[in-house]
Amino acid sequence: MNAIPFDNSYARLPGSMHVGVDPTPVSAPRLIKVNEPLARGLGIDPALLTAEVAVGNAIPAGASPLAQAYAGHQFGNFVPQLGDGRAILLGEVIDVTGKRRDIQLKGSGRTPFSRGGDGRAALGPVLREYLVSEAMHALGIPTTRALMAATTGERVHRDAALPGAVLTRVAASHIRVGTFQFFAARQDFEALKLLTGHVIDRHHPQAKGAENPALALLDAVMEAQASLVARWAQVGFIHGVMNTDNCSISGETIDYGPCAFMDAYDPGTVFSSIDTHGRYAYQNQAPIAQWNMARLAETLLDLINPGREEAIRIATERIGDFPAIYAKYWLAGFRKKIGLAGAEDGDLGLIQAMLDAMRLARADFTITFRILSNGGEPEALKDWLPGWRDRLARDPQTPEARRALMRSANPAYIPRNHLVEEMIAAAVERRDFAPFEAMLRVLMTPYGEQPGAERYAEAPAEPDGAYRTFCGT
Ligand code: AMP
Ligand code: MG
């Protein structure tokens, strides 16, 4: 293994889709972490991943650094040009399994899309994204990955002066609903057609041979998003800022800003300080995903059917299917969480009754399901357990198989908010990265109890109802 084996397909798309821009060098780069297993999986020799590369001071041979153009609805309001304001795509590689992956620097300086921003990222949000995205991957949930994190030796100015850092992010692609919106808003149908073709080849090749490829693409993205958001629900994950520019066409979780995992179960939970109306609350994530899919459909209308009315009729019908698609994934996942291999009509009611009991008791979401998986009897579920046992009696499985099923669907370890904050404080205040390393290690195997890791499985002493997260800017 020598140079990074770049093969940059996005850079070969027309120039209206991106702007070539180099990272802005920084004074004193220092590596925090290189994700060596991920590097090897990408076919990259980890020795090439130096601090200079991690901050963008050195551009690896074969890279074609560029900022991608995209628009987006932010909290429901359309912004025709958003980014990339602080991310630079170095290029793409084909990984060892044959999949194309983007390699992107986030926080590496200004781009032509930066508007008033400095193009930089602070250390805290970089560590949060590194840790939470890798935890999501270990949980088995589609996500962008973290390849490297490095400090810049420079300060970024937010409310306070904070240490600057750069995250190297890996994704199936960084193409978002907002990428389609960028060209639709400009009525650039040539670009939309090329983008659609690129995305079908890259992410949803099954749409290629379809009678109506654009419609098949919409179906495929809806399926991927429904499946993804159901997976979030099953681990108590709240993305926090599900704007259309943070909604990936590949169906990966992207842009870990004000995200957080729920501790006590409450479907109304909101963490983000800027989400004053609770638009992106836990229980709204599926309807918002559907709303985002409608915004994608709008950009595809001309490709779906040349007759505008007919196109709208077809697309509206498809978007109307989203709740049922989501419900299918949601129910399949929650059936596993309560140990069911088969299906009965009453299962939805049974699961809902469990969640209702948890909400009333403010029971910890993760711990309650884990106790159940390990044969325990969560206090909050006393009245619910007999009905569950009756149902289990009609679901033939050995106790061992059921236990294994439940343990594989109910993690012991999630990135607990109070521990994420503790980890960030140690790094920002003392450049102590030991808590980051320790927490990352535990979160890499979330489905098996680890001796000595008990504190990572505990709920916070104080309920997290007042916990607030801030956008990673
Ligand atoms: P985010 O909240 O990270 O999804 O960012 C929303 C948009 O603002 C994206 O287009 C970002 O590229 C841009 N942005 C966020 N922070 C900065 C920054 N510090 N400098 C320039 N652009 C930024
Ligand atoms: Mg974003």
Side-chain angles (χ1 to χ4, degrees):
M1 289 196 280
N2 252 318
I4 297 177
F6 282 110
D7 174 36
N8 306 329
S9 69
Y10 206 83
R12 294 192 287 266
L13 290 173
S16 61
M17 297 191 177
H18 47 78
V19 182
V21 54
D22 281 341
T24 308
V26 297
S27 58
R30 274 185 79 157
L31 270 180
I32 301 167
K33 182 81 181 166
V34 173
N35 188 339
E36 295 195 3
L38 176 59
R40 290 198 195 88
L42 294 169
I44 299 173
D45 180 354
L48 296 170
L49 301 179
T50 61
E52 299 287 326
V53 169
V55 296
N57 279 14
I59 309 291
S64 38
L66 59 85
Q68 289 173 311
Y70 61 84
H73 276 91
Q74 297 189 305
F75 290 89
N77 304 304
F78 187 63
V79 183
Q81 184 182 299
L82 268 175
D84 287 325
R86 58 161 171 172
I88 291 177
L89 181 68
L90 288 180
E92 301 148 33
V93 296
I94 309 295
D95 74 12
V96 296
T97 70
K99 294 198 184 98
R100 182 174 291 277
R101 298 271 173 226
D102 272 8
I103 302 178
Q104 190 200 62
L105 301 179
K106 186 172 173 184
S108 55
R110 288 175 53 79
T111 79
F113 302 113
S114 296
R115 297 171 288 163
D118 60 4
R120 293 295 178 192
L123 176 58
V126 164
L127 291 179
R128 177 194 292 275
E129 176 156 351
Y130 194 117
L131 184 105
V132 181
S133 66
E134 286 302 302
M136 289 289 266
H137 175 71
L139 286 165
I141 299 175
T143 177
T144 63
R145 304 285 309 273
L147 180 62
M148 291 187 270
T151 49
T152 60
E154 296 176 1
R155 300 245 148 207
V156 295
H157 300 279
R158 302 292 182 255
D159 285 343
L162 298 167
V166 180
L167 179 78
T168 308
R169 182 160 75 175
V170 172
S173 84
H174 289 81
I175 300 168
R176 312 130 192 274
V177 170
T179 316
F180 282 81
Q181 290 181 294
F182 181 89
F183 301 108
R186 282 161 184 73
Q187 305 200 350
D188 185 346
F189 301 116
E190 215 34 55
L192 269 174
K193 227 187 284 173
L194 285 168
L195 183 65
T196 301
H198 178 82
V199 159
I200 287 176
D201 285 344
R202 192 164 172 181
H203 299 306
H204 304 292
Q206 71 274 29
K208 199 168 187 157
E211 197 182 316
N212 188 331
L215 191 60
L217 173 63
L218 177 63
D219 285 338
V221 177
M222 277 175 49
E223 197 80 24
Q225 282 292 325
S227 162
L228 176 69
V229 176
R231 296 298 309 272
W232 292 354
Q234 286 147 19
V235 295
F237 178 77
I238 300 169
H239 182 283
V241 57
M242 288 176 67
N243 294 333
T244 57
D245 55 301
N246 293 338
C247 179
S248 154
I249 294 293
S250 76
E252 290 179 335
T253 312
I254 189 172
D255 264 12
Y256 293 83
C259 65
F261 284 75
M262 184 163 67
D263 291 314
Y265 177 70
D266 178 352
T269 304
V270 179
F271 291 117
S272 170
S273 62
I274 57 169
D275 191 2
T276 41
H277 299 292
R279 178 180 170 90
Y280 299 136
Y282 176 82
Q283 66 193 357
N284 289 351
Q285 295 192 122
I288 287 292
Q290 182 184 15
W291 192 88
N292 289 346
M293 293 301 92
R295 303 290 78 74
L296 174 63
E298 283 167 358
T299 72
L300 294 173
L301 288 175
D302 286 322
L303 295 174
I304 289 173
N305 194 293
R308 183 45 64 111
E309 257 179 54
E310 182 61 2
I312 291 175
R313 191 193 61 75
I314 297 169
T316 305
E317 191 185 303
R318 284 312 222 276
I319 295 297
D321 291 341
F322 189 89
I325 300 170
Y326 177 77
K328 173 188 72 177
Y329 286 112
W330 188 94
L331 188 56
F334 273 92
R335 275 201 178 104
K336 276 192 207 157
K337 285 177 78 72
I338 64 167
L340 295 176
E344 277 186 12
D345 284 349
D347 294 347
L348 177 60
L350 183 69
I351 294 161
Q352 202 50 62
M354 175 188 183
L355 293 173
D356 288 345
M358 287 169 60
R359 178 175 50 81
L360 286 174
R362 293 199 59 75
D364 185 89
F365 184 79
T366 304
I367 292 174
T368 304
F369 279 104
R370 191 69 185 179
I371 291 175
L372 210 58
S373 312
N374 287 338
E377 305 203 339
E379 182 61 34
L381 301 181
K382 277 271 180 302
D383 296 338
W384 176 83
L385 290 166
W388 177 55
R389 293 222 173 79
D390 288 349
R391 174 66 185 91
L392 293 188
R394 296 190 304 275
D395 189 69
Q397 262 188 101
T398 64
E400 295 72 36
R402 174 162 292 130
R403 193 176 148 93
L405 176 68
M406 291 179 73
R407 285 173 56 89
S408 72
N410 296 310
Y413 307 104
I414 51 156
R416 293 272 179 186
N417 304 322
H418 61 293
L419 298 175
V420 171
E421 294 304 322
E422 205 178 282
M423 173 281 281
I424 289 174
V428 171
E429 288 159 24
R430 304 186 294 280
R431 294 300 186 281
D432 174 6
F433 296 107
F436 168 72
E437 290 285 352
M439 197 171 172
L440 188 62
R441 196 173 330 109
V442 170
L443 292 170
M444 288 307 89
T445 45
Y447 294 107
E449 274 84 6
Q450 300 162 46
E454 291 75 14
R455 70 184 290 263
Y456 294 96
E458 285 166 9
E462 295 288 320
D464 62 1
Y467 182 68
R468 282 290 166 269
T469 54
F470 299 89
C471 257
T473 49

